[in-house]
């Protein structure tokens, strides 16, 4: 595939960033329609059926495939495969090959079933197509894992275009996905190899979806995913595209970037945002905060937070200092001093990241607060559990616990054991599970 660069002049205005102590927010760029157009060519029947798709880039809404040219418009790259359905064949598409070298037009050819009838449905790439229902809606899959090249292109397998036609004369394609373009700051010295986007309120942004070719709308399936990951080598001064399902993210999204050494960094954008089909938005990966991966043994939790504690808070130091008069030095320090454990009023314990890093718990949290019989309030504001697998008896026998706020970072996607998680918490009156509490993997 010919490698094409994106001119900086066209995308600079998309990227702004701001950072706050509470949210590390990054300003997101305004939507920009992806300018492209396609007109269909003739379908002729001989030994096989040949379809020609003429993609003229004239700024209209419909798009071609599968890489950007120098004007940030789509064009065919060569080698794509087209899935072709008909009203007589809605479940198993015929495969047609693009034999051209790429550009604004492409010729697809291949043998299709003789049992065909209008209307006809096309999907590129072929592997994204699933089926067409009786109402003419197209089922497809947008990959949750995507691979992006060093030139700032998206993954060709993750840009989905679809068409519907009542005759052999035209296959007019429309894009079925949206994009987030992630810009690596010029001053960045770390080399990132993976970037994961996750919706903060659990909305679906990748996986199985339905495209309505009449309304030009996309709806995520119930088993779709709330995250998408791009992999590659992400260098400064460049932008990289995450393909996602069109959606409105009511509480924004977060990005987690991993570098070559395996360290993880997070940026949280908490403002509601809408990603429309055939549009992209841009964000500057500025203000990343390192994620601290912590186990119960790292915290030495049973010794550093005694069972007579009446209040337990996980947060960042800068946030707590605004409302609580903490001691000058922590009562205990763990993770090379990156986490301080402070005692206030003799029985209120604060586990705080000293430099505002996110605390990401790993492994098992079995019996973490078990038999903390005097605690009345637990606040887990800075407590990410995306890598936790066991929460057996986690809050069991907290007899006086009346208020528990898990927060939106309390993610139970990988948890397989929640046995007796809240057993004997008979005083519990206020329970906030956050937006990422689910039992899908619990056995």
């Amino acid at each position: 595939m010919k490698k094409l660069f994106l001119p900086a002049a066209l995308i600079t205005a998309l990227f702004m960033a701001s950072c706050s102590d509470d949210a590390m927010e990054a300003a997101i760029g305004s939507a920009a329609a992806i300018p492209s157009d396609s007109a269909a060519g003739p379908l002729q029947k001989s030994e096989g059926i040949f379809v020609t798709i003429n993609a003229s880039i004239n700024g209209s809404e419909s798009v071609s495939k599968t890489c950007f040219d120098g004007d940030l418009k789509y064009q065919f790259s060569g080698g794509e495969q087209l899935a072709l359905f008909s009203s007589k064949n809605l479940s198993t598409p015929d495969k047609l090959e693009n034999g051209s070298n790429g550009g604004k037009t492409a010729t697809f050819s291949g043998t299709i079933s003789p049992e065909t009838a209008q209307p006809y449905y096309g999907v590129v790439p072929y592997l994204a197509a699933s089926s067409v229902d009786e109402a003419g809606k197209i089922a497809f899959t947008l990959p949750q894992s995507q691979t992006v090249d060093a030139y700032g292109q998206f993954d060709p397998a993750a840009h989905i275009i679809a068409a519907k036609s009542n005759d052999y004369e035209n296959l007019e394609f429309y894009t079925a996905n949206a994009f987030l373009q992630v810009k690596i700051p010029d001053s960045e010295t770390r080399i990132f190899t993976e970037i994961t986007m996750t919706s903060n309120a659990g909305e679906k942004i990748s996986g199985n979806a339905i495209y309505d070719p009449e309304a030009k709308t996309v709806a995520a399936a119930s088993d779709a995913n709330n995250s998408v990951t791009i992999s590659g080598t992400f260098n400064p001064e460049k932008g990289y595209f995450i393909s996602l399902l069109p959606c409105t993210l009511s509480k924004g999204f977060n990005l987690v970037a991993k570098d070559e050494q395996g360290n993880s960094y997070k940026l949280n954008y908490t403002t509601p945002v809408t990603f429309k089909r055939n549009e992209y938005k841009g964000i500057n990966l500025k203000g990343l905060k390192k994620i601290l991966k912590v186990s119960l043994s790292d915290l030495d939790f049973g010794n550093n937070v005694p069972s007579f504690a009446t209040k337990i808070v996980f947060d960042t130091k800068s946030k707590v200092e605004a409302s609580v008069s903490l001691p000058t030095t922590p009562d205990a320090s763990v993770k090379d001093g990156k986490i301080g454990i402070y005692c206030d009023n003799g029985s209120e314990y604060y586990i705080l990241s000293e430099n505002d890093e996110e605390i990401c718990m790993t492994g098992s949290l079995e019996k973490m607060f078990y038999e903390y019989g005097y605690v009345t309030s637990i606040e887990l504001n800075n407590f990410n559990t995306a890598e936790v697998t066991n929460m057996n008896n986690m809050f069991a026998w907290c007899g006086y616990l009346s208020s528990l706020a898990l927060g939106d970072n309390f993610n139970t996607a990988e948890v397989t054991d929640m046995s007796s998680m809240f057993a004997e918490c008979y005083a519990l009156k206020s329970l906030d599970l956050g937006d990422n509490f689910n039992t899908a993997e619990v056995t």
Side-chain angles (χ1 to χ4, degrees):
M1 184 175 73
K2 185 178 180 181
K3 306 300 183 180
L4 298 164
F5 292 90
L6 303 179
L10 289 176
I11 62 174
T12 300
L14 288 172
F15 303 102
M16 301 178 294
S18 61
C19 183
S20 66
D21 289 336
D22 293 335
M24 299 177 285
E25 293 187 3
I28 196 162
S30 59
I34 300 173
S36 179
D37 168 86
S38 64
L43 245 128
Q44 302 172 356
K45 189 170 183 180
S46 56
E47 293 182 359
I49 292 182
F50 300 89
V51 58
T52 301
I53 303 172
N54 300 311
S56 57
I57 304 174
N58 63 8
S60 65
E61 193 272 347
S62 59
V63 300
S64 61
K65 183 76 175 94
T66 54
C67 62
F68 288 130
D69 67 9
D71 294 323
L72 202 58
K73 300 175 182 177
Y74 287 127
Q75 62 179 7
F76 287 88
S77 59
E80 297 93 347
Q81 295 178 330
L82 165 68
L84 185 66
F85 299 89
S86 79
S87 61
K88 291 286 187 71
N89 182 19
L90 298 177
S91 60
T92 305
D94 294 306
K95 183 189 295 184
L96 294 93
E97 304 279 349
N98 177 9
S100 63
N101 293 323
K104 297 179 181 179
T105 62
T107 300
F108 288 88
S109 61
T111 301
I112 70 170
S113 169
E115 296 296 324
T116 64
Q118 65 179 15
Y120 304 93
Y121 305 88
V123 178
V124 178
Y126 176 85
L127 291 177
S130 297
S131 62
V132 179
D133 66 18
E134 294 295 334
K137 296 181 180 180
I138 302 170
F140 70 93
T141 302
L142 189 147
Q144 185 179 23
S145 297
Q146 303 170 15
T147 302
V148 180
D149 66 32
Y151 292 88
Q153 306 284 13
F154 49 84
D155 186 340
H159 176 219
I160 316 299
I161 58 174
K164 177 184 178 181
S165 175
N166 283 328
D167 55 44
Y168 282 148
E169 299 302 318
N170 295 291
L171 280 178
E172 187 177 36
F173 282 90
Y174 292 82
T175 191
N177 56 279
F179 286 104
L180 174 68
Q181 188 182 36
V182 180
K183 175 74 181 299
I184 310 298
D186 297 351
S187 59
E188 183 59 69
T189 58
R190 295 162 291 194
I191 301 298
F192 298 114
T193 59
E194 183 178 291
I195 300 173
T196 298
M197 175 185 182
T198 304
S199 59
N200 286 335
E203 296 95 345
K204 309 300 185 181
I205 62 174
S206 69
N208 296 328
I210 302 294
Y211 173 68
D212 184 341
E214 298 294 339
K216 307 295 189 295
T217 57
V218 176
S222 59
D223 60 349
N225 311 300
N226 69 347
S227 66
V228 59
T229 298
I230 58 173
S231 301
T233 300
F234 306 121
N235 298 305
E237 305 181 24
K238 294 186 180 296
Y240 301 88
F241 287 83
I242 298 174
S243 178
L244 64 149
L245 297 175
C247 58
T248 294
L249 305 183
S250 60
K251 294 186 178 181
F253 60 91
N254 67 77
L255 297 172
V256 174
K258 291 185 178 180
D259 65 15
E260 292 179 311
Q261 285 71 45
N263 299 311
S264 296
Y265 305 84
K266 187 174 183 178
L267 181 70
N268 201 15
Y269 182 83
T270 59
T271 302
V273 58
T274 296
F275 290 91
K276 295 182 179 180
R277 184 188 63 78
N278 196 57
E279 291 185 356
Y280 70 89
K281 295 181 182 291
I283 190 168
N284 197 316
L285 205 63
K286 184 178 181 181
L288 288 167
K289 297 293 184 180
K290 188 173 183 179
I291 295 175
L292 295 176
K293 294 191 176 183
V294 183
S295 66
L296 273 183
S297 60
D298 290 332
L299 292 176
D300 195 10
F301 193 77
N303 290 322
N304 289 325
V305 182
S307 59
F308 61 75
T310 59
K311 182 178 182 179
I312 300 173
V313 177
F314 278 77
D315 215 321
T316 63
K317 186 177 181 181
S318 64
K319 185 176 180 180
V320 170
E321 281 183 324
S323 57
V324 178
S325 298
L326 296 173
T328 305
T329 58
D331 294 85
S333 293
V334 298
K335 295 294 287 186
D336 298 322
K338 295 175 182 177
I339 295 177
I341 301 175
Y342 297 81
C343 178
D344 188 42
N345 295 325
S347 62
E348 298 180 355
Y349 283 81
Y350 297 84
I351 301 91
L352 310 176
S353 58
E354 297 285 352
N355 297 306
D356 291 348
E357 298 97 338
E358 179 172 288
I359 297 175
C360 180
M361 302 302 296
T362 62
S364 174
L365 299 183
E366 183 177 1
K367 293 186 175 181
M368 180 175 182
F369 302 101
Y370 182 77
E371 290 188 339
Y372 274 68
Y374 297 92
V375 68
T376 61
S377 175
I378 297 176
E379 299 176 16
L380 304 178
N381 303 317
N382 185 16
F383 193 83
N384 190 317
T385 60
E387 298 186 20
V388 173
T389 57
N390 187 352
M391 293 184 176
N392 185 314
N393 278 282
M394 184 174 177
F395 301 99
W397 290 96
C398 291
Y400 287 142
L401 180 63
S402 61
S403 176
L404 175 60
L406 299 182
D408 291 340
N409 281 334
F410 199 91
N411 187 330
T412 60
E414 300 298 322
V415 177
T416 59
D417 188 351
M418 291 185 179
S419 304
S420 302
M421 185 174 176
F422 300 102
E424 305 302 326
C425 292
Y426 46 79
L428 194 58
K429 297 179 180 179
S430 175
L431 175 61
D432 179 6
L433 294 177
D435 289 318
N436 290 303
F437 190 96
N438 71 76
T439 58
E441 298 299 320
V442 175
T443 58

